[in-house]
Amino acid sequence: MKDILTAPFVEEMKRTTANMYRLGWDERNGGNISMLLDTEEVAQYLDVDAVIRTIPLGFDAYPLADRIFIVTGTGKYFKNVEFDPENNLGIVRISSNGLDAHLLWGFSDGGRFTSEFPAHLMSHIARLDVDPENRVIMHCHPTHTLAMNYVHELDERKFTHTLWEMCTECIVVFPDGIGVLPWMLCGTNSIGESTACKMREFRLVVWGMHGIYGAGRNMDEAFVLIETVEKAAQIYMLTAHLPRINTIKDNELAELAEFFGVNYRKDFLDL
Ligand code: 13P
Ligand code: ZN
C-alpha cells in the first residue's frame, strides 16, 4: 500500500486550499471542497472496505452509492490543511443505500465533513447527470464577488451580463452564465436542493450575500471559473461608482463567443 499522504488527490487538496486561503477567499473555516475519486486509484493507498466511522448524511444520496470523495472538514481552516491534512480532510465512501458516509481516512480528531456536504453531493448528482466527467464542487467566499452581491441586483441574467462586460474573456470562460440564489440559510438540505437545481444549468452558482459555488471536471476547472468571476467582480467594484465611458457591447460579446466557438446564453444578451 502506498502512503496516502503522497496521493496526488491529497496533494491537490493541500495545494488548492492553501492557494484559496492566500487569495482571501476562505477566511476562518469559510469554504469547502469535495472531489469525486477513482476507486481503483484510492485502493492503491487505502483499504476501501476498512470503515473507521459511519456518519449519516441526512438525505438520500443513492445516485452516488459506493462512490468515494475527498472532502474538507466542517469548522476546519483552509490555512491549516497543508500542515495537517489528516485532521482537516476526510475520505469517505457513500454507503450502498446512499444514506451514510463511511469514513476511510482523515477527520482524525473525530470531526466530520463540511456542513455543506448535502449541497456538494446534491450538486455532484446534478452535474454528473449533465456532464458525466464532473468531479469537483468548490465553495468559497471571494471578497469582490461578495461585495458585488450588496450593490448589484441578484438576478442571474443581469449579474452574468455585468460580469461578462467586465473582462473580454469572461463570456468565453463561463458562457453558460451564473445561477443566482437569494440569501438562504446555509448548511441545510434546502439550500443544497436549490443549488443542485441551478447546477443542472450552470457550473457557477452565487449564494446571495454568502459566496459562490463552482463545478468542474477537475480542480483547475472549478478554480478558474471562480477566479475569473472574482476578477470581473473586482473590476466591477473598482468602477461601479465611476461614470462608465466605455463598455464591451452585446454584439461584441456575441462576436467573442462565436469566434471562440462556445455555447453561450444568447438570452442573457440584448441582440
Ligand atoms: P464548513 O466549515 O462546515 O465547511 O462551513 C463553511 C462554510 O463556508 C459554510 O457555508
Ligand atoms: Zn460558506
Side-chain angles (χ1 to χ4, degrees), residues 4-5 7-17 32-35 52-53 69-74 76-78 80-92 103-109 111-114 219:
I4 184 75
L5 292 174
F9 45 85
V10 173
E11 282 296 327
E12 201 164 26
M13 291 291 274
K14 283 164 57 182
R15 216 172 41 240
T16 307
T17 47
N32 21 76
I33 305 177
S34 62
M35 179 162 63
I52 300 171
R53 276 187 280 141
F69 292 86
I70 187 162
V71 58
T72 52
T74 185
K76 304 297 187 194
Y77 305 171
F78 269 27
N80 293 340
V81 174
E82 65 178 323
F83 305 108
D84 192 2
E86 188 157 3
N87 190 24
N88 293 290
L89 301 174
I91 295 178
V92 297
L103 182 65
L104 305 180
W105 173 83
F107 304 144
S108 59
D109 66 355
R112 50 186 283 150
F113 42 73
T114 171
M219 198 73 92

Side-chain angles (χ1 to χ4, degrees), residues 129-167:
D129 242 11
V130 292
D131 177 7
E133 288 184 51
N134 195 80
R135 292 289 174 272
V136 174
I137 300 291
M138 179 182 284
H139 164 62
C140 58
H141 307 158
T143 312
H144 301 91
T145 306
L146 201 41
M148 186 173 163
N149 275 225
Y150 290 87
V151 297
H152 191 285
E153 273 177 87
L154 290 176
D155 168 276
E156 53 208 18
R157 185 180 188 275
K158 291 179 184 163
F159 203 89
T160 301
H161 188 268
T162 297
L163 292 175
W164 279 352
E165 286 180 320
M166 291 301 116
C167 309

